[in-house]
């Protein structure tokens, strides 16, 4: 393919989708469907075009695993469906080789951002206590949202997870693709 490497194309895809989704989430508190749905299809189609049916299956498996891992969080109202769709879109491009790293980096960055924001806004103790309350609630009622600590509560603190996904995509590229160039 004229010297372009497939991993670089996939990384460009998931990074562009992640950064655009993160910018939209930061600006509007929404991850738009006009970005996520076409990106899921495009990521799967790109894998299929470059790597055949195994490539398409690879992208579909990555998307299925994201749903399996993250849908329970959305059911508990720990994150919105836009965040899930953004993870699906980045995973369609990342495939099974990189989706887990994008997810892990995104979750790690979200945690760091949450700690930084809670320190800056002087509610770190409350945030830590709430984390333990959520863990206990999850153990007792696994798929039921906490009545107060969920994204539907307007008084609860919210973090735009799309920003963490954008940074997770960039970190994945820096740690993996950057070393291959």
């Amino acid at each position: 393919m004229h010297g372009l490497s497939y991993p670089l194309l996939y990384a460009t895809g998931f990074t562009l989708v992640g950064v655009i989704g993160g910018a939209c989430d930061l600006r509007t508190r929404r991850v738009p469907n006009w970005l996520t749905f076409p990106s899921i299809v495009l990521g799967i189609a790109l894998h299929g075009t470059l790597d055949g049916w195994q490539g398409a299956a690879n992208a579909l498996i990555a998307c299925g695993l994201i749903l399996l891992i993250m849908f329970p969080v959305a059911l508990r109202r720990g994150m919105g469906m836009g965040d899930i769709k953004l993870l699906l879109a980045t995973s369609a491009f990342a495939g099974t080789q990189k989706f887990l790293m994008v997810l892990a980096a995104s979750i790690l960055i979200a945690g760091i951002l949450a700690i930084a924001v809670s320190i800056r806004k002087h509610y770190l103790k409350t945030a830590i206590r709430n984390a333990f309350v959520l863990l206990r609630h999850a153990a007792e009622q696994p798929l039921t949202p906490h009545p107060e600590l969920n994204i539907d509560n307007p008084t609860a603190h919210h973090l735009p997870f799309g920003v963490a996904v954008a940074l997770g995509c960039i970190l994945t590229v820096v740690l993996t693709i950057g070393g291959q160039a």
Side-chain angles (χ1 to χ4, degrees), residues 98-119:
K98 300 269 188 290
F99 91 95
L100 201 53
M101 187 164 188
V102 170
L103 177 61
S106 300
I107 291 169
L108 177 66
I109 290 168
I112 292 168
L113 290 173
I115 291 168
V117 167
S118 66
I119 289 170

Side-chain angles (χ1 to χ4, degrees), residues 64-76:
L65 291 170
I66 281 294
L67 278 176
L68 186 68
I69 295 166
M70 299 306 294
F71 194 67
V73 178
L75 282 178
R76 294 182 45 73

Side-chain angles (χ1 to χ4, degrees), residues 49-133:
T49 301
L50 299 180
D51 297 322
W53 68 268
Q54 291 111 336
N58 176 315
L60 284 167
I61 289 167
C63 289
L65 291 170
I66 281 294
L67 278 176
L68 186 68
I69 295 166
M70 299 306 294
F71 194 67
V73 178
L75 282 178
R76 294 182 45 73
R77 303 303 294 148
M79 68 176 20
M81 288 307 295
D83 299 324
I84 301 293
K85 290 181 288 189
L86 182 58
L87 286 170
L88 283 167
T90 57
S91 295
F93 281 99
T96 57
Q97 296 81 9
K98 300 269 188 290
F99 91 95
L100 201 53
M101 187 164 188
V102 170
L103 177 61
S106 300
I107 291 169
L108 177 66
I109 290 168
I112 292 168
L113 290 173
I115 291 168
V117 167
S118 66
I119 289 170
R120 187 173 187 283
K121 295 194 175 190
H122 308 289
Y123 68 89
L124 180 61
K125 250 192 220 179
T126 302
I128 292 169
R129 186 178 61 243
N130 287 349
F132 284 106
V133 167

